Amino acid sequence: MKFLVCLVFFVSADFTSGQSTVQGMHSCSAQGPPGLPGRDGRDGRDCPCGTKDTQISELQSKYQELRDQTSGLRQQNEDLEQRLSVLEDRIGNKTQSDSAGYPPSSCTEVAERSGIHDQAFYMIDPDGPGRGVLPMVVQCDLQGETPITLISHDSEARTHVKGFKGAGSYSKDVTYWNSMEQVRAVVDQSSSCKQHIKYECYGSVIWDGSTPYAWWVTWDGRQADYWGGASPGSGKCACGQTGACSGSCYCDANENTWREDSGFLSHKNDLPVTQLRFGDTDDAPSEAGFYALGKLICYP
């Protein structure tokens, strides 16, 4: 009699939950008699109630996350390919490459292959295919009939300096569109290069006697000891070297009037300029300055 009661109890429990093991359902019982675990119909082993359903839900969630990530990566890849194609078309890479598929090594070779449009962008490989630096994008132009290379940076705009007292206390790193290795490869293969530098001063000096208050830094991190239009080691601006001013620079007169010292830096071993430093602009309103640095220009 006791055996019959137990049998009826188990069959009733399975029927009520809709998960009779006789029917071979494949999930744990969501509800069951107290103290009785659910049962996995696939292998007949007991499992904690709801475990399989939870695991399936987690796996489905992770699968959906992976699908979303994959879709996102695919879209990013398509966007990058499209941008690369636009850039290649813009710089004329396809039409400039020679029969072997190599870009030209210089703006001179660009001119020989396809001609140069006013300051258009072109891809060149200054040290040749398969060597050292990667190909780079530059501007090519004509000075008369001579092809020239122009390399831009982020300090070309006229910039105000104010409120810096100590020598070189204002500092601006010059960031080029290309890596320094690429820029130096262009400089090395060129017969000459130059870069224009200008400082407009109002009661602000470049040199105070033998003490520099403004200077620039060479490509390899050295503090330069000359200004535009003067020679390395001179400690002067152009006017000081030619005798057009009484001191080292026009700005060194330190008068309450606007003056300017400017000129080209043309010593190849020092170019390009990588940092600009200024000081003596703290005494408002009688001291101030503006600077600008031109593109690097190289000749074949």
Side-chain angles (χ1 to χ4, degrees):
M1 187 61 148
K2 293 180 180 179
F3 173 79
L4 179 59
V5 171
C6 290
L7 179 60
V8 171
F9 176 79
F10 278 102
V11 171
S12 174
D14 285 344
F15 179 78
T16 302
S17 65
Q19 300 199 19
S20 170
T21 57
V22 175
Q23 298 300 320
M25 299 296 289
H26 298 303
S27 64
C28 293
S29 175
Q31 301 290 334
L36 292 176
R39 195 174 275 281
D40 189 330
R42 288 171 291 186
D43 56 16
R45 294 180 297 176
D46 289 337
C47 66
C49 182
T51 298
K52 296 295 181 181
D53 292 338
T54 301
Q55 291 177 346
I56 290 172
S57 296
E58 290 177 351
L59 288 172
Q60 289 175 335
S61 178
K62 291 179 179 178
Y63 174 70
Q64 186 60 45
E65 289 178 4
L66 288 173
R67 286 189 62 184
D68 293 343
Q69 292 175 4
T70 301
S71 178
L73 290 173
R74 186 181 299 113
Q75 184 61 49
Q76 290 180 19
N77 186 52
E78 291 175 355
D79 291 344
L80 287 172
E81 288 180 351
Q82 183 177 8
R83 290 170 62 186
L84 178 60
S85 177
V86 170
L87 179 60
E88 287 177 342
D89 290 341
R90 181 178 179 184
I91 63 178
N93 181 43
K94 294 177 181 177
T95 58
Q96 288 180 51
S97 298
D98 61 16
S99 59
Y102 300 131
S105 62
S106 65
C107 288
T108 298
E109 193 170 343
V110 170
E112 293 172 350
R113 290 191 191 183
S114 59
I116 291 176
H117 304 286
D118 293 345
Q119 295 191 21
F121 291 90
Y122 299 88
M123 178 178 286
I124 65 171
D125 190 357
D127 61 352
R131 303 176 186 172
V133 302
L134 294 172
M136 59 191 289
V137 176
V138 298
Q139 286 178 284
C140 294
D141 201 3
L142 291 173
Q143 194 170 90
E145 296 182 357
T146 303
I148 59 173
T149 304
L150 300 94
I151 299 178
S152 295
H153 54 81
D154 65 349
S155 300
E156 295 176 27
R158 183 173 181 260
T159 303
H160 189 208
V161 182
K162 185 69 178 174
F164 295 86
K165 180 178 181 179
S169 55
Y170 173 91
S171 176
K172 175 62 172 68
D173 291 332
V174 182
T175 302
Y176 290 84
W177 292 1
N178 311 99
S179 71
M180 189 51 56
E181 290 79 8
Q182 290 173 318
V183 176
R184 282 299 301 177
V186 172
V187 173
D188 288 341
Q189 69 138 17
S190 301
S191 62
S192 63
C193 293
K194 64 181 183 180
Q195 194 164 13
H196 194 266
I197 189 170
K198 178 172 70 172
Y199 186 53
E200 301 169 61
C201 53
Y202 188 90
S204 175
V205 300
I206 293 180
W207 268 278
D208 182 11
S210 60
T211 301
Y213 269 76
W215 64 85
W216 56 278
V217 177
T218 66
W219 74 274
D220 54 355
R222 292 174 288 114
Q223 179 178 326
D225 56 2
Y226 64 103
W227 202 250
S231 303
S234 65
K236 296 179 179 181
C237 298
C239 72
Q241 190 156 353
T242 62
C245 57
S246 58
S248 297
C249 305
Y250 286 123
C251 287
D252 295 348
N254 201 21
E255 298 174 349
N256 292 332
T257 184
W258 282 104
R259 297 177 178 272
E260 176 186 314
D261 283 294
S262 60
F264 279 102
L265 306 167
S266 55
H267 191 57
K268 269 183 58 174
N269 291 341
D270 293 341
L271 297 176
V273 176
T274 58
Q275 190 181 74
L276 296 163
R277 306 289 293 268
F278 298 95
D280 192 31
T281 62
D282 63 304
D283 188 8
S286 60
E287 294 178 347
F290 287 90
Y291 71 83
L293 181 68
K295 303 176 191 290
L296 179 67
I297 306 172
C298 290
Y299 295 81

